[in-house]
Amino acid sequence: MRQFEWSDLKFFLELARARSPSAAARRLRADHTTVRRRVGALEEALRTRLISSRGARYELTPEGDRLVGYAEAVENLTSRAEEELANHNLNISGTVRIGAPDALGALYLAPKLTEFAASNPSLKLQLVIVPRVVNLSNREADIAISLSPPNQHRQIVRRVADFSLGLYTSPRYLETAPEIMGMKDLKDHNFVGYIPDLLSEPELDNLPGLGIDQGGVFESSSIFAQIEAVVAGAGICVLPDLVASSDPRLQRILPDFSLTRQFWLIIHPEMINLARVRAVIDFICEVMRRDRSLFVKDADSDTAATEG
């Protein structure tokens, strides 16, 4: 009978997360036959089935689901031991992966995190920009920033910033469009927005709040594609002031209109004890607090627009 090997847990955990031997192998920089062999050895040692295959997708058995918790605990204890013992000189090292919405991640966090990485040369930062909230349980990221707090109670959630949105269009569109004097005039105009059935977060669906019945004439899952469509004259778009107010190609209309949304920082509770993760969290929270005026238009004014 094969003896239980701690190292087999690593292969099992990656397969449990990826649900595919090939995907798990890519993460482990191994080959898929090794993943199957190591998980098979673990099943033999524990004398139980941990994974069942349904076509190309692998599913956890009830025993496998129970083992995931133990395997994650071993993974986190190993990471903490390595960090605390290998970095006795208090240098921050290792890899931290951050998941963020496209505009915040690409335009704001990318340059900020580059500065932070430069002052911590032993630290590798990975920025994941996807049109949805990353899955912390599957280790798609160590830290996530989303537009709404998650439903899972086991995750640590912190509200890090408010941000405002306004109505933006382009001079090209206004040249031929009907005159806009007030909100009631918007019904006669074209709008650019997100694809409704691909919305990852309901907070992205801003058009119903304008009293607009029709969908957008141009829709995209990317805010950058929306901006380029607006610049090309497609219509009007609800855009974060963080992105649009500094773009000279865009023109804000109906300045009294404003929406307010929030950015939420989410952390898996077992990652919060890692010094490198805490350092990145503290940095993100500090710079976003310091740059509040970039996120909320007229943030320092007593007459700042209220939530629309």
Side-chain angles (χ1 to χ4, degrees):
M1 180 66 66
R2 180 183 170 89
Q3 296 297 310
F4 179 86
E5 295 285 346
W6 292 106
S7 58
D8 290 339
L9 285 174
K10 178 172 66 175
F11 291 85
F12 163 73
L13 192 53
E14 287 300 337
L15 181 55
R17 290 168 176 164
R19 303 299 172 97
S20 161
S22 298
R26 286 193 296 271
R27 295 184 185 183
L28 293 165
R29 297 183 179 180
D31 59 78
H32 62 89
T33 57
T34 300
V35 173
R36 290 196 184 97
R37 178 174 56 81
R38 297 293 290 270
V39 173
L42 185 60
E43 290 180 323
E44 181 183 347
L46 294 175
R47 298 187 294 279
T48 188
R49 288 290 302 278
L50 302 171
I51 301 284
S52 65
S53 61
R54 297 179 180 177
R57 184 171 176 82
Y58 283 56
E59 301 289 347
L60 291 171
T61 65
E63 291 76 16
D65 192 52
R66 290 174 59 192
L67 185 61
V68 166
Y70 292 108
E72 287 182 337
V74 171
E75 179 186 56
N76 289 315
L77 284 172
T78 302
S79 296
R80 289 180 62 184
E82 178 183 10
E83 184 175 77
E84 293 174 9
L85 298 177
N87 299 298
H88 58 276
N89 58 357
L90 301 183
N91 288 333
I92 301 173
S93 67
T95 301
V96 178
R97 182 177 292 180
I98 306 104
D102 49 2
L104 178 72
L107 298 181
Y108 180 78
L109 284 180
K112 298 295 183 183
L113 291 173
T114 299
E115 296 174 10
F116 184 70
S119 60
N120 295 277
S122 298
L123 183 68
K124 178 192 287 187
L125 297 178
Q126 297 178 337
L127 183 59
V128 180
I129 299 176
V130 291
R132 59 177 175 80
V133 181
V134 297
N135 191 320
L136 296 183
S137 297
N138 288 347
R139 290 298 192 270
E140 290 182 346
D142 303 308
I143 303 166
I145 298 177
S146 75
L147 302 182
S148 59
N151 294 325
Q152 296 93 332
H153 298 297
R154 292 186 64 247
Q155 295 177 340
I156 299 171
V157 182
R158 182 185 301 179
R159 179 174 168 177
V160 288
D162 290 353
F163 68 98
S164 61
L165 304 96
L167 290 168
Y168 287 86
T169 188
S170 66
R172 180 175 178 178
Y173 175 75
L174 292 176
E175 286 176 0
T176 57
E179 187 177 22
I180 306 173
M181 300 298 293
M183 295 292 292
K184 60 179 175 36
D185 298 322
L186 294 178
K187 60 180 175 41
D188 300 322
H189 288 266
N190 298 331
F191 279 84
V192 173
Y194 287 93
I195 303 171
D197 58 340
L198 294 181
L199 281 173
S200 59
E201 298 184 85
E203 287 75 13
L204 293 173
D205 192 12
N206 296 307
L207 291 184
L210 303 177
I212 303 300
D213 295 329
Q214 77 271 20
V217 298
F218 180 90
E219 298 173 338
S220 174
S221 60
S222 167
I223 192 173
F224 298 114
Q226 293 175 27
I227 289 173
E228 294 305 319
V230 171
V231 170
I236 301 167
C237 189
V238 181
L239 292 170
D241 292 311
L242 171 69
V243 178
S245 62
S246 59
D247 192 327
R249 303 173 302 168
L250 298 174
Q251 180 175 332
R252 199 172 197 268
I253 60 172
L254 301 180
D256 289 338
F257 170 84
S258 180
L259 293 175
T260 302
R261 299 286 185 261
Q262 291 78 40
F263 285 125
W264 299 83
L265 189 142
I266 310 165
I267 316 105
H268 196 286
E270 293 177 346
M271 302 301 294
I272 194 67
N273 292 319
L274 297 178
R276 63 179 182 271
V277 174
R278 289 199 308 272
V280 175
I281 290 170
D282 291 344
F283 173 77
I284 290 174
C285 291
E286 172 59 26
V287 295
M288 291 183 71
R289 183 198 62 78
R290 185 189 66 201
D291 292 338
R292 180 173 179 268
S293 61
L294 297 178
F295 290 98
V296 180
K297 189 175 180 62
D298 300 326
D300 298 322
S301 170
D302 292 334
T303 60
T306 59
E307 182 170 350

PDB file of all heavy atoms in Angstrom, residues 166-190:
ATOM      1  N   GLY A 166     -20.433  60.025 -14.777  1.00  0.00           N
ATOM      2  CA  GLY A 166     -21.197  61.073 -15.420  1.00  0.00           C
ATOM      3  C   GLY A 166     -21.554  60.687 -16.839  1.00  0.00           C
ATOM      4  O   GLY A 166     -21.187  59.609 -17.332  1.00  0.00           O
ATOM      5  N   LEU A 167     -22.295  61.551 -17.507  1.00  0.00           N
ATOM      6  CA  LEU A 167     -22.681  61.337 -18.896  1.00  0.00           C
ATOM      7  C   LEU A 167     -21.651  61.977 -19.815  1.00  0.00           C
ATOM      8  O   LEU A 167     -21.356  63.172 -19.705  1.00  0.00           O
ATOM      9  CB  LEU A 167     -24.056  61.945 -19.158  1.00  0.00           C
ATOM     10  CG  LEU A 167     -25.249  61.236 -18.507  1.00  0.00           C
ATOM     11  CD1 LEU A 167     -26.494  62.105 -18.610  1.00  0.00           C
ATOM     12  CD2 LEU A 167     -25.492  59.876 -19.152  1.00  0.00           C
ATOM     13  N   TYR A 168     -21.109  61.181 -20.721  1.00  0.00           N
ATOM     14  CA  TYR A 168     -20.075  61.673 -21.630  1.00  0.00           C
ATOM     15  C   TYR A 168     -20.438  61.337 -23.074  1.00  0.00           C
ATOM     16  O   TYR A 168     -21.047  60.299 -23.361  1.00  0.00           O
ATOM     17  CB  TYR A 168     -18.725  61.043 -21.298  1.00  0.00           C
ATOM     18  CG  TYR A 168     -18.100  61.579 -20.030  1.00  0.00           C
ATOM     19  CD1 TYR A 168     -18.420  61.026 -18.791  1.00  0.00           C
ATOM     20  CD2 TYR A 168     -17.199  62.637 -20.070  1.00  0.00           C
ATOM     21  CE1 TYR A 168     -17.859  61.514 -17.624  1.00  0.00           C
ATOM     22  CE2 TYR A 168     -16.623  63.131 -18.907  1.00  0.00           C
ATOM     23  CZ  TYR A 168     -16.954  62.569 -17.686  1.00  0.00           C
ATOM     24  OH  TYR A 168     -16.389  63.057 -16.531  1.00  0.00           O
ATOM     25  N   THR A 169     -20.051  62.228 -23.963  1.00  0.00           N
ATOM     26  CA  THR A 169     -20.200  61.988 -25.382  1.00  0.00           C
ATOM     27  C   THR A 169     -19.027  62.653 -26.091  1.00  0.00           C
ATOM     28  O   THR A 169     -18.057  63.056 -25.442  1.00  0.00           O
ATOM     29  CB  THR A 169     -21.557  62.494 -25.899  1.00  0.00           C
ATOM     30  OG1 THR A 169     -21.730  62.057 -27.253  1.00  0.00           O
ATOM     31  CG2 THR A 169     -21.671  64.002 -25.816  1.00  0.00           C
ATOM     32  N   SER A 170     -19.123  62.791 -27.399  1.00  0.00           N
ATOM     33  CA  SER A 170     -18.038  63.429 -28.157  1.00  0.00           C
ATOM     34  C   SER A 170     -18.579  64.598 -28.956  1.00  0.00           C
ATOM     35  O   SER A 170     -19.762  64.622 -29.325  1.00  0.00           O
ATOM     36  CB  SER A 170     -17.402  62.417 -29.113  1.00  0.00           C
ATOM     37  OG  SER A 170     -18.329  62.022 -30.108  1.00  0.00           O
ATOM     38  N   PRO A 171     -17.748  65.601 -29.234  1.00  0.00           N
ATOM     39  CA  PRO A 171     -18.179  66.712 -30.088  1.00  0.00           C
ATOM     40  C   PRO A 171     -18.706  66.230 -31.438  1.00  0.00           C
ATOM     41  O   PRO A 171     -19.626  66.822 -32.000  1.00  0.00           O
ATOM     42  CB  PRO A 171     -16.894  67.535 -30.239  1.00  0.00           C
ATOM     43  CG  PRO A 171     -16.099  67.225 -29.003  1.00  0.00           C
ATOM     44  CD  PRO A 171     -16.382  65.782 -28.707  1.00  0.00           C
ATOM     45  N   ARG A 172     -18.146  65.140 -31.924  1.00  0.00           N
ATOM     46  CA  ARG A 172     -18.587  64.592 -33.223  1.00  0.00           C
ATOM     47  C   ARG A 172     -20.054  64.190 -33.164  1.00  0.00           C
ATOM     48  O   ARG A 172     -20.823  64.439 -34.106  1.00  0.00           O
ATOM     49  CB  ARG A 172     -17.705  63.403 -33.598  1.00  0.00           C
ATOM     50  CG  ARG A 172     -18.059  62.756 -34.926  1.00  0.00           C
ATOM     51  CD  ARG A 172     -17.052  61.679 -35.271  1.00  0.00           C
ATOM     52  NE  ARG A 172     -17.379  61.001 -36.512  1.00  0.00           N
ATOM     53  CZ  ARG A 172     -16.642  60.046 -37.066  1.00  0.00           C
ATOM     54  NH1 ARG A 172     -15.513  59.672 -36.476  1.00  0.00           N
ATOM     55  NH2 ARG A 172     -16.999  59.472 -38.188  1.00  0.00           N
ATOM     56  N   TYR A 173     -20.457  63.567 -32.083  1.00  0.00           N
ATOM     57  CA  TYR A 173     -21.850  63.146 -31.942  1.00  0.00           C
ATOM     58  C   TYR A 173     -22.772  64.353 -31.796  1.00  0.00           C
ATOM     59  O   TYR A 173     -23.859  64.405 -32.387  1.00  0.00           O
ATOM     60  CB  TYR A 173     -22.001  62.223 -30.735  1.00  0.00           C
ATOM     61  CG  TYR A 173     -23.438  61.838 -30.464  1.00  0.00           C
ATOM     62  CD1 TYR A 173     -24.102  60.898 -31.256  1.00  0.00           C
ATOM     63  CD2 TYR A 173     -24.144  62.422 -29.414  1.00  0.00           C
ATOM     64  CE1 TYR A 173     -25.424  60.561 -31.010  1.00  0.00           C
ATOM     65  CE2 TYR A 173     -25.468  62.078 -29.155  1.00  0.00           C
ATOM     66  CZ  TYR A 173     -26.107  61.153 -29.963  1.00  0.00           C
ATOM     67  OH  TYR A 173     -27.420  60.816 -29.724  1.00  0.00           O
ATOM     68  N   LEU A 174     -22.330  65.343 -31.023  1.00  0.00           N
ATOM     69  CA  LEU A 174     -23.172  66.508 -30.749  1.00  0.00           C
ATOM     70  C   LEU A 174     -23.404  67.368 -31.987  1.00  0.00           C
ATOM     71  O   LEU A 174     -24.355  68.148 -32.038  1.00  0.00           O
ATOM     72  CB  LEU A 174     -22.534  67.347 -29.639  1.00  0.00           C
ATOM     73  CG  LEU A 174     -22.516  66.707 -28.250  1.00  0.00           C
ATOM     74  CD1 LEU A 174     -21.769  67.599 -27.262  1.00  0.00           C
ATOM     75  CD2 LEU A 174     -23.936  66.421 -27.756  1.00  0.00           C
ATOM     76  N   GLU A 175     -22.546  67.239 -32.995  1.00  0.00           N
ATOM     77  CA  GLU A 175     -22.688  68.046 -34.207  1.00  0.00           C
ATOM     78  C   GLU A 175     -24.027  67.786 -34.905  1.00  0.00           C
ATOM     79  O   GLU A 175     -24.622  68.696 -35.490  1.00  0.00           O
ATOM     80  CB  GLU A 175     -21.534  67.744 -35.170  1.00  0.00           C
ATOM     81  CG  GLU A 175     -20.200  68.344 -34.733  1.00  0.00           C
ATOM     82  CD  GLU A 175     -19.068  67.933 -35.666  1.00  0.00           C
ATOM     83  OE1 GLU A 175     -19.348  67.185 -36.639  1.00  0.00           O
ATOM     84  OE2 GLU A 175     -17.914  68.329 -35.419  1.00  0.00           O
ATOM     85  N   THR A 176     -24.490  66.545 -34.863  1.00  0.00           N
ATOM     86  CA  THR A 176     -25.714  66.191 -35.600  1.00  0.00           C
ATOM     87  C   THR A 176     -26.847  65.696 -34.693  1.00  0.00           C
ATOM     88  O   THR A 176     -27.958  65.475 -35.176  1.00  0.00           O
ATOM     89  CB  THR A 176     -25.413  65.094 -36.644  1.00  0.00           C
ATOM     90  OG1 THR A 176     -24.836  63.959 -35.972  1.00  0.00           O
ATOM     91  CG2 THR A 176     -24.415  65.607 -37.680  1.00  0.00           C
ATOM     92  N   ALA A 177     -26.570  65.522 -33.405  1.00  0.00           N
ATOM     93  CA  ALA A 177     -27.577  64.978 -32.487  1.00  0.00           C
ATOM     94  C   ALA A 177     -28.564  66.059 -32.051  1.00  0.00           C
ATOM     95  O   ALA A 177     -28.252  67.255 -32.078  1.00  0.00           O
ATOM     96  CB  ALA A 177     -26.885  64.382 -31.267  1.00  0.00           C
ATOM     97  N   PRO A 178     -29.762  65.673 -31.630  1.00  0.00           N
ATOM     98  CA  PRO A 178     -30.721  66.654 -31.094  1.00  0.00           C
ATOM     99  C   PRO A 178     -30.147  67.356 -29.865  1.00  0.00           C
ATOM    100  O   PRO A 178     -29.307  66.819 -29.146  1.00  0.00           O
ATOM    101  CB  PRO A 178     -31.931  65.786 -30.720  1.00  0.00           C
ATOM    102  CG  PRO A 178     -31.798  64.553 -31.554  1.00  0.00           C
ATOM    103  CD  PRO A 178     -30.331  64.317 -31.692  1.00  0.00           C
ATOM    104  N   GLU A 179     -30.626  68.541 -29.619  1.00  0.00           N
ATOM    105  CA  GLU A 179     -30.125  69.337 -28.505  1.00  0.00           C
ATOM    106  C   GLU A 179     -30.447  68.661 -27.167  1.00  0.00           C
ATOM    107  O   GLU A 179     -31.507  68.061 -26.992  1.00  0.00           O
ATOM    108  CB  GLU A 179     -30.752  70.738 -28.548  1.00  0.00           C
ATOM    109  CG  GLU A 179     -30.161  71.705 -27.537  1.00  0.00           C
ATOM    110  CD  GLU A 179     -30.754  73.101 -27.674  1.00  0.00           C
ATOM    111  OE1 GLU A 179     -31.875  73.211 -28.236  1.00  0.00           O
ATOM    112  OE2 GLU A 179     -30.120  74.064 -27.232  1.00  0.00           O
ATOM    113  N   ILE A 180     -29.505  68.771 -26.225  1.00  0.00           N
ATOM    114  CA  ILE A 180     -29.683  68.181 -24.891  1.00  0.00           C
ATOM    115  C   ILE A 180     -29.731  69.318 -23.873  1.00  0.00           C
ATOM    116  O   ILE A 180     -28.716  69.927 -23.546  1.00  0.00           O
ATOM    117  CB  ILE A 180     -28.530  67.219 -24.541  1.00  0.00           C
ATOM    118  CG1 ILE A 180     -28.372  66.151 -25.630  1.00  0.00           C
ATOM    119  CG2 ILE A 180     -28.787  66.558 -23.184  1.00  0.00           C
ATOM    120  CD1 ILE A 180     -27.163  65.265 -25.453  1.00  0.00           C
ATOM    121  N   MET A 181     -30.907  69.590 -23.362  1.00  0.00           N
ATOM    122  CA  MET A 181     -31.076  70.636 -22.361  1.00  0.00           C
ATOM    123  C   MET A 181     -31.330  70.065 -20.964  1.00  0.00           C
ATOM    124  O   MET A 181     -31.084  70.713 -19.954  1.00  0.00           O
ATOM    125  CB  MET A 181     -32.236  71.550 -22.754  1.00  0.00           C
ATOM    126  CG  MET A 181     -32.040  72.254 -24.096  1.00  0.00           C
ATOM    127  SD  MET A 181     -30.588  73.358 -24.074  1.00  0.00           S
ATOM    128  CE  MET A 181     -31.168  74.595 -22.890  1.00  0.00           C
ATOM    129  N   GLY A 182     -31.840  68.850 -20.910  1.00  0.00           N
ATOM    130  CA  GLY A 182     -32.146  68.235 -19.629  1.00  0.00           C
ATOM    131  C   GLY A 182     -32.289  66.736 -19.770  1.00  0.00           C
ATOM    132  O   GLY A 182     -32.189  66.172 -20.875  1.00  0.00           O
ATOM    133  N   MET A 183     -32.544  66.057 -18.660  1.00  0.00           N
ATOM    134  CA  MET A 183     -32.632  64.607 -18.648  1.00  0.00           C
ATOM    135  C   MET A 183     -33.752  64.095 -19.571  1.00  0.00           C
ATOM    136  O   MET A 183     -33.618  63.027 -20.173  1.00  0.00           O
ATOM    137  CB  MET A 183     -32.881  64.111 -17.219  1.00  0.00           C
ATOM    138  CG  MET A 183     -31.735  64.390 -16.248  1.00  0.00           C
ATOM    139  SD  MET A 183     -30.257  63.417 -16.620  1.00  0.00           S
ATOM    140  CE  MET A 183     -30.812  61.765 -16.232  1.00  0.00           C
ATOM    141  N   LYS A 184     -34.818  64.881 -19.696  1.00  0.00           N
ATOM    142  CA  LYS A 184     -35.950  64.431 -20.520  1.00  0.00           C
ATOM    143  C   LYS A 184     -35.579  64.311 -21.993  1.00  0.00           C
ATOM    144  O   LYS A 184     -36.236  63.590 -22.753  1.00  0.00           O
ATOM    145  CB  LYS A 184     -37.132  65.393 -20.365  1.00  0.00           C
ATOM    146  CG  LYS A 184     -36.846  66.817 -20.776  1.00  0.00           C
ATOM    147  CD  LYS A 184     -38.076  67.692 -20.615  1.00  0.00           C
ATOM    148  CE  LYS A 184     -37.822  69.153 -20.896  1.00  0.00           C
ATOM    149  NZ  LYS A 184     -36.893  69.513 -21.931  1.00  0.00           N
ATOM    150  N   ASP A 185     -34.509  65.008 -22.389  1.00  0.00           N
ATOM    151  CA  ASP A 185     -34.099  64.962 -23.793  1.00  0.00           C
ATOM    152  C   ASP A 185     -33.325  63.695 -24.141  1.00  0.00           C
ATOM    153  O   ASP A 185     -33.111  63.393 -25.325  1.00  0.00           O
ATOM    154  CB  ASP A 185     -33.230  66.181 -24.128  1.00  0.00           C
ATOM    155  CG  ASP A 185     -33.981  67.491 -23.949  1.00  0.00           C
ATOM    156  OD1 ASP A 185     -35.185  67.521 -24.289  1.00  0.00           O
ATOM    157  OD2 ASP A 185     -33.374  68.460 -23.460  1.00  0.00           O
ATOM    158  N   LEU A 186     -32.902  62.939 -23.146  1.00  0.00           N
ATOM    159  CA  LEU A 186     -32.047  61.777 -23.399  1.00  0.00           C
ATOM    160  C   LEU A 186     -32.770  60.687 -24.185  1.00  0.00           C
ATOM    161  O   LEU A 186     -32.132  59.868 -24.858  1.00  0.00           O
ATOM    162  CB  LEU A 186     -31.536  61.196 -22.079  1.00  0.00           C
ATOM    163  CG  LEU A 186     -30.581  62.102 -21.278  1.00  0.00           C
ATOM    164  CD1 LEU A 186     -30.185  61.411 -19.975  1.00  0.00           C
ATOM    165  CD2 LEU A 186     -29.343  62.450 -22.094  1.00  0.00           C
ATOM    166  N   LYS A 187     -34.100  60.663 -24.103  1.00  0.00           N
ATOM    167  CA  LYS A 187     -34.858  59.610 -24.792  1.00  0.00           C
ATOM    168  C   LYS A 187     -34.699  59.688 -26.301  1.00  0.00           C
ATOM    169  O   LYS A 187     -34.972  58.707 -27.014  1.00  0.00           O
ATOM    170  CB  LYS A 187     -36.335  59.680 -24.424  1.00  0.00           C
ATOM    171  CG  LYS A 187     -37.019  60.989 -24.786  1.00  0.00           C
ATOM    172  CD  LYS A 187     -38.492  60.978 -24.375  1.00  0.00           C
ATOM    173  CE  LYS A 187     -39.189  62.314 -24.600  1.00  0.00           C
ATOM    174  NZ  LYS A 187     -38.891  63.026 -25.813  1.00  0.00           N
ATOM    175  N   ASP A 188     -34.234  60.820 -26.797  1.00  0.00           N
ATOM    176  CA  ASP A 188     -34.081  60.996 -28.245  1.00  0.00           C
ATOM    177  C   ASP A 188     -32.662  60.697 -28.713  1.00  0.00           C
ATOM    178  O   ASP A 188     -32.326  60.987 -29.866  1.00  0.00           O
ATOM    179  CB  ASP A 188     -34.446  62.428 -28.639  1.00  0.00           C
ATOM    180  CG  ASP A 188     -35.887  62.781 -28.288  1.00  0.00           C
ATOM    181  OD1 ASP A 188     -36.759  61.906 -28.442  1.00  0.00           O
ATOM    182  OD2 ASP A 188     -36.134  63.925 -27.842  1.00  0.00           O
ATOM    183  N   HIS A 189     -31.835  60.102 -27.846  1.00  0.00           N
ATOM    184  CA  HIS A 189     -30.417  59.935 -28.180  1.00  0.00           C
ATOM    185  C   HIS A 189     -29.966  58.482 -28.163  1.00  0.00           C
ATOM    186  O   HIS A 189     -30.631  57.610 -27.593  1.00  0.00           O
ATOM    187  CB  HIS A 189     -29.562  60.765 -27.211  1.00  0.00           C
ATOM    188  CG  HIS A 189     -29.664  62.230 -27.460  1.00  0.00           C
ATOM    189  ND1 HIS A 189     -28.781  62.915 -28.257  1.00  0.00           N
ATOM    190  CD2 HIS A 189     -30.575  63.143 -27.026  1.00  0.00           C
ATOM    191  CE1 HIS A 189     -29.134  64.203 -28.300  1.00  0.00           C
ATOM    192  NE2 HIS A 189     -30.220  64.360 -27.560  1.00  0.00           N
ATOM    193  N   ASN A 190     -28.827  58.259 -28.796  1.00  0.00           N
ATOM    194  CA  ASN A 190     -28.207  56.937 -28.843  1.00  0.00           C
ATOM    195  C   ASN A 190     -27.296  56.751 -27.633  1.00  0.00           C
ATOM    196  O   ASN A 190     -26.640  57.704 -27.190  1.00  0.00           O
ATOM    197  CB  ASN A 190     -27.376  56.770 -30.118  1.00  0.00           C
ATOM    198  CG  ASN A 190     -28.225  56.866 -31.367  1.00  0.00           C
ATOM    199  OD1 ASN A 190     -29.405  56.527 -31.357  1.00  0.00           O
ATOM    200  ND2 ASN A 190     -27.630  57.342 -32.456  1.00  0.00           N
TER     201      ASN A 190
END
